[in-house]
């Protein structure tokens, strides 16, 4: 795997990608695309049996090498780990995985959102953002933030051969954000673009509320493209 | 001008657009494009003489009907008003214009940002966002938020015939956001897209910090496009 300061960084295609919360829509959609691209994928869930069921289903759809495990098993088996966890339980689950995630690249894609009769809105987060919360909980991991705006529906539909989306990758560790950008690039159509330091993650997470409002108004699965890059 | 609940809304092309802070780069760039599109534009500044100088300069570049006035004169003369004010002084200036802005569509494009050696970051705003601060200060106006991510350099350069950018327009007043979307649409290449309620303005303002980080990394004038819309 990638090592801070090492001369050669192994390609993301040789890495094992863990998806904590891989039974949820967002994690599952990304896992389908990564499996399809030939990456080794481990689905994590609190319940190992449900993780294995989801893994079997993803393998059926996308082929490739997909297995399931409980969250700790998923984290241990993986080189880089997507935390696609519900916001409720985000902190608690990450705390329980501190040892397994030490030294690894962790990608937080969690959007802390609330919904009321007026629609979606961003929840305040004491640490600033879900990603910064992860960074505080996991001081020995290399925490990045990315994949906030993906449409689970579009990702899961492999008849969509070109996913029209830029993935903003945030973090203070250049090598880690480069690896995560590569992980975005393996999805056809998607570009991984550096999107700033982790302290600027809140607005990227919160912007998902705007995309949901756009989806409702325009009956779309809206995503972002960055122009002039 | 547009009237809440009226049957017919006059086209934005028949309105006078005021630009408070029109001597600054962001306001000036937009004023150039609106003048070029044939809209009547009034540049506002604390100093009427400087406003008139800026207006003359814009007229030289873009042609059209451009005049200058102090901020109160600009607000009084206009049907819809862009507040392109520095964040420092935003609240104070709007408070001083409550009467002149009553009943009018106000567009807030202000990005409350800080900069340190690590680059740009979003400033916390007690009211949630600059736009919500404007809404609180101007209860008799129709406050919207838009034009946060425009590149002043690109706008001011009329050799750029196609501006590759979607403008997110936020607000709770459907008729007002429709008028502001039309105001975005008059700039060639630009689309005005509804971007959610005003309570979701913070992340749109704050996202400018990410775009600045992207600009620095990629040597670009980055903007946003919304896909699938």
């Amino acid at each position: 795997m990638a090592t801070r300061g090492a001369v050669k960084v192994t390609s993301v295609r040789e890495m094992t990608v863990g998806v904590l919360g891989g039974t949820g829509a967002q994690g599952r959609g990304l896992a389908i695309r990564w499996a399809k691209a030939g990456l080794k994928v481990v689905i994590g869930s609190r319940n190992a049996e449900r993780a294995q069921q989801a893994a079997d289903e993803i393998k059926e759809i996308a082929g490739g090498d997909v297995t399931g495990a409980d969250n700790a098993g998923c984290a241990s088996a993986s080189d880089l780990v997507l935390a696609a966890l519900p916001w409720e339980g985000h902190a608690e689950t990450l705390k329980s995985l501190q040892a397994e995630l030490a030294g690894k690249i962790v990608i937080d894609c969690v959007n802390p959102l609330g919904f009321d009769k007026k629609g979606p809105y961003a929840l305040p987060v004491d640490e600033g953002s879900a990603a910064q919360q992860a960074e505080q909980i996991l001081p020995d991991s290399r925490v990045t933030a990315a994949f906030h705006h993906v449409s689970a529906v579009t990702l899961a539909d492999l008849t969509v051969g070109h996913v029209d989306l830029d993935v903003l990758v945030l973090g203070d560790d250049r090598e880690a954000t480069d690896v995560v950008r590569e992980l975005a690039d393996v999805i056809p159509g998607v570009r991984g673009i550096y999107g700033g330091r982790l302290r600027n993650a809140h607005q990227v997470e919160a912007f998902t509320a705007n995309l949901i409002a756009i989806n409702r108004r325009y009956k779309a699965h809206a995503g972002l493209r960055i122009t002039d890059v």
Side-chain angles (χ1 to χ4, degrees), chain A:
Chain A
M1 75 168 272
T3 308
R4 202 189 297 250
V7 174
K8 186 180 171 295
V9 177
T10 306
S11 161
V12 75
R13 290 185 183 273
E14 293 161 43
M15 295 183 187
T16 298
V17 184
V19 182
L20 303 172
T23 56
Q26 196 178 0
R28 181 176 170 276
L30 286 165
I32 286 171
R33 293 290 174 164
W34 289 328
K36 180 75 182 171
L39 276 65
K40 200 171 162 183
V41 177
V42 183
I43 300 297
S45 168
R46 267 186 295 187
N47 180 318
E49 206 180 320
R50 264 194 295 149
Q52 190 54 54
Q53 280 171 12
D56 291 344
E57 199 188 298
I58 290 166
K59 215 166 144 176
E60 181 95 13
I61 295 169
D65 182 347
V66 190
T67 54
D70 63 12
N71 282 327
C74 165
S76 296
S78 305
D79 299 308
L80 71 171
V81 180
L82 179 76
L85 301 162
W87 174 235
E88 310 72 35
H90 177 260
E92 197 192 341
T93 304
L94 292 181
K95 264 176 208 154
S96 74
L97 298 171
Q98 274 175 329
E100 291 84 352
L101 293 172
K104 300 187 175 179
I105 296 174
V106 173
I107 311 156
D108 203 294
C109 69
V110 175
N111 299 311
L113 298 183
F115 292 85
D116 61 19
K117 60 183 178 179
K118 289 188 172 178
Y121 60 96
L123 295 173
V125 178
D126 285 343
E127 296 84 352
S129 62
Q132 287 163 293
Q133 185 184 78
E135 188 185 38
Q136 284 191 23
I137 293 170
L138 303 170
D140 297 328
S141 301
R142 305 167 74 179
V143 176
T144 65
F147 300 106
H148 304 88
H149 304 148
V150 296
S151 161
V153 173
T154 304
L155 288 175
D157 179 2
L158 287 180
T159 67
V160 180
H162 178 94
V163 179
D164 195 4
L165 183 77
D166 286 339
V167 166
L168 294 169
V169 180
L170 287 83
D172 298 345
D173 173 339
R174 174 72 182 256
E175 196 177 80
T177 58
D178 282 352
V179 169
V180 177
R181 292 200 298 114
E182 206 191 326
L183 189 63
D185 289 342
V186 303
I187 304 171
V190 172
R191 296 189 306 173
I193 292 187
Y194 173 71
R197 290 177 180 271
L198 218 57
R199 67 175 179 177
N200 283 316
H202 166 73
Q203 52 265 31
V204 176
E205 298 172 2
F207 191 74
T208 305
N210 302 75
L211 287 172
I212 293 169
I214 292 168
N215 286 344
R216 290 183 179 181
R217 171 69 62 91
Y218 296 95
K219 318 276 179 231
H221 297 297
L224 285 189
R225 283 288 190 194
I226 304 296
T227 61
D228 199 36
V229 169

